[in-house]
Amino acid sequence: MAIIEVHKLSKSFDYFKKEPGLKGSIKSLFWRETLHKYAIQDVSFQIEEGELVGFLGPNGAGKTTTLKILAGILLPTSGSAKVLGFDPWKREKRYQKQFSIVMGQKNQLWWDLPASESFALNRDIYEIDPKIYIKNLNELVELMGLRELLDIPVRKLSLGERMKCELVAALLHQPGILFLDEPTIGLDVVSQEKIRQFVEEYNRFQKTTIILTSHYMRDIERLCKRVLVINDGGIIYDGALEELMNRYVDHKVLKIQFHKQVSEENLRRFGEIVERDGLRVVLKTKKKEIPHLVQRMLTEFEVDDLAIEEVQVEEVIRRIFNKT
């Protein structure tokens, strides 16, 4: 059952064109040309209950605008959206209690107060029963390993610790839908992995529907089976991440460590040479040719080590955006 339904959703912003110089400034006092910029245009998709969907796109593609409309922060120019049966921009209290939005570049915690104070404030805002609040808080704090940080002012926490607290604050009222906009941005590798692990476990056990935007492709690979790809304000792909890889990439990467030197002429028979460092060679080879080419290589040359790797998701996304 689809709990998020978006149909031909568009959002445009008006801005004014001003001629340069003093003359242009004076003229603009009496007349300015109004221009329109579409942040998103005719966006349509559906998301089922419990899905964890990746939302990909370059900066300015429309990802955050879409999430803000679904969260009721922005009013669309045209089109429709239903989230849990509600029109988000009507900002009904019943709807606001059923979702959360976490933005990696925005803080909802009070900067000079301990996180525990912000948690208590959210308890009152969402009218959470005290017993349920204590239960949810203890579970989330244990999952995140935050017990010793609750009484430290937020401004004294590291970026990774603050993001963990942001997630706890967003989930105290057990929302059915969670919008995550760049939750791992700026975090170190260890903190990123802890956030991914938490989101994965929470989605699995709570069946919370999650839309995740991220520029770290490791987030998408680890967490999302389905992805929406948006560019220039429109959806250009909606489907499985694996199918996206197959559609845009027809090759794999061969990493070979030879026992003896092999000429470039011989190497080119097995694929495109991407990198060569002494006896170590990296080749780009057509997927369908991999089995018999590897067999030939092992027959013709002395190979100490060989690995077949998929193309990185970053390269796939880069190809998509370069083609659109």
Side-chain angles (χ1 to χ4, degrees):
M1 174 183 172
I3 61 173
I4 299 177
E5 299 178 282
V6 176
H7 182 67
K8 292 188 176 298
L9 199 64
S10 297
K11 175 64 179 178
S12 65
F13 296 93
D14 296 340
Y15 64 100
F16 302 102
K17 182 179 180 180
K18 174 189 168 296
E19 295 179 13
L22 178 61
K23 181 180 178 181
S25 297
I26 295 174
K27 183 179 178 181
S28 68
L29 293 174
F30 303 97
W31 181 86
R32 292 181 294 180
E33 182 182 358
T34 303
L35 301 176
H36 307 279
K37 166 68 176 176
Y38 273 94
I40 58 171
Q41 191 166 15
D42 293 332
V43 167
S44 299
F45 60 84
Q46 292 187 345
I47 294 178
E48 303 292 320
E49 185 175 4
E51 276 194 282
L52 202 170
V53 179
F55 202 16
L56 303 178
N59 290 330
K63 305 184 300 296
T64 301
T65 298
T66 304
L67 293 191
K68 285 183 175 180
I69 291 174
L70 295 180
I73 298 171
L74 292 177
L75 182 70
T77 304
S78 62
S80 63
K82 290 287 186 182
V83 184
L84 295 167
F86 296 93
D87 296 320
W89 44 89
K90 290 183 178 179
R91 301 179 183 176
E92 295 178 57
K93 188 175 181 180
R94 284 189 302 152
Y95 173 58
Q96 292 179 327
K97 286 186 174 184
Q98 296 185 60
F99 81 90
S100 273
I101 181 167
V102 176
M103 307 179 75
Q105 301 183 63
K106 301 285 186 181
N107 294 321
Q108 65 171 316
L109 303 174
W110 288 88
W111 190 247
D112 292 313
L113 297 177
S116 58
E117 297 288 337
S118 293
F119 297 159
L121 178 62
N122 277 19
R123 174 198 62 203
D124 296 337
I125 290 173
Y126 289 102
E127 300 175 339
I128 308 171
D129 180 273
K131 292 183 179 178
I132 295 176
Y133 167 77
I134 293 298
K135 175 179 176 294
N136 292 346
L137 179 62
N138 286 334
E139 289 177 353
L140 291 167
V141 165
E142 289 303 319
L143 279 171
M144 284 294 194
L146 294 174
R147 183 65 63 187
E148 298 178 357
L149 305 177
L150 295 182
D151 297 320
I152 299 175
V154 170
R155 59 184 167 80
K156 293 187 176 181
L157 300 177
S158 70
L159 181 59
E161 291 167 343
R162 290 202 301 272
M163 181 49 62
K164 291 178 184 178
C165 290
E166 292 281 351
L167 283 169
V168 171
L171 297 172
L172 283 170
H173 62 291
Q174 294 181 307
I177 295 176
L178 178 62
F179 302 119
L180 291 177
D181 189 25
E182 302 283 357
T184 59
I185 190 168
L187 302 186
D188 61 74
V189 175
V190 174
S191 296
Q192 287 178 20
E193 186 57 32
K194 287 182 178 178
I195 296 294
R196 292 184 197 115
Q197 184 178 359
F198 173 80
V199 172
E200 183 179 40
E201 292 296 313
Y202 195 84
N203 171 254
R204 179 184 303 148
F205 290 110
Q206 297 294 333
K207 306 301 181 186
T208 302
T209 304
I210 300 174
I211 300 181
L212 167 69
T213 78
S214 180
H215 283 109
Y216 295 118
M217 292 302 106
R218 178 61 182 147
D219 293 351
I220 305 300
E221 285 182 280
R222 167 73 180 272
L223 299 171
C224 306
K225 293 182 180 179
R226 176 189 170 193
V227 294
L228 298 169
V229 182
I230 188 171
N231 198 23
D232 293 328
I235 300 291
I236 60 175
Y237 178 82
D238 178 1
L241 178 60
E242 184 178 355
E243 291 179 13
L244 178 70
M245 299 286 289
N246 291 332
R247 177 181 298 187
Y248 286 92
V249 177
D250 62 352
H251 66 275
K252 291 188 178 184
V253 175
L254 288 180
K255 294 184 176 181
I256 313 109
Q257 182 74 33
F258 291 101
H259 189 70
K260 297 179 180 179
Q261 286 288 351
V262 178
S263 69
E264 288 195 6
E265 183 180 355
N266 279 327
L267 288 174
R268 289 195 185 96
R269 294 191 290 120
F270 296 90
E272 177 187 340
I273 301 172
V274 177
E275 183 183 335
R276 183 170 188 177
D277 182 13
L279 299 176
R280 180 181 173 277
V281 178
V282 179
L283 300 175
K284 186 186 293 185
T285 304
K286 296 288 185 182
K287 285 183 178 181
K288 61 183 180 181
E289 298 177 0
I290 288 282
H292 77 269
L293 286 179
V294 168
Q295 187 176 10
R296 276 178 49 198
M297 184 180 291
L298 294 174
T299 301
E300 295 181 22
F301 307 105
E302 293 184 57
V303 176
D304 290 338
D305 191 25
L306 185 147
I308 304 171
E309 297 182 0
E310 296 287 348
V311 176
Q312 300 257 334
V313 176
E314 286 93 336
E315 181 178 337
V316 179
I317 300 301
R318 192 160 47 244
R319 285 182 173 215
I320 294 171
F321 297 150
N322 287 339
K323 286 183 179 182
T324 56

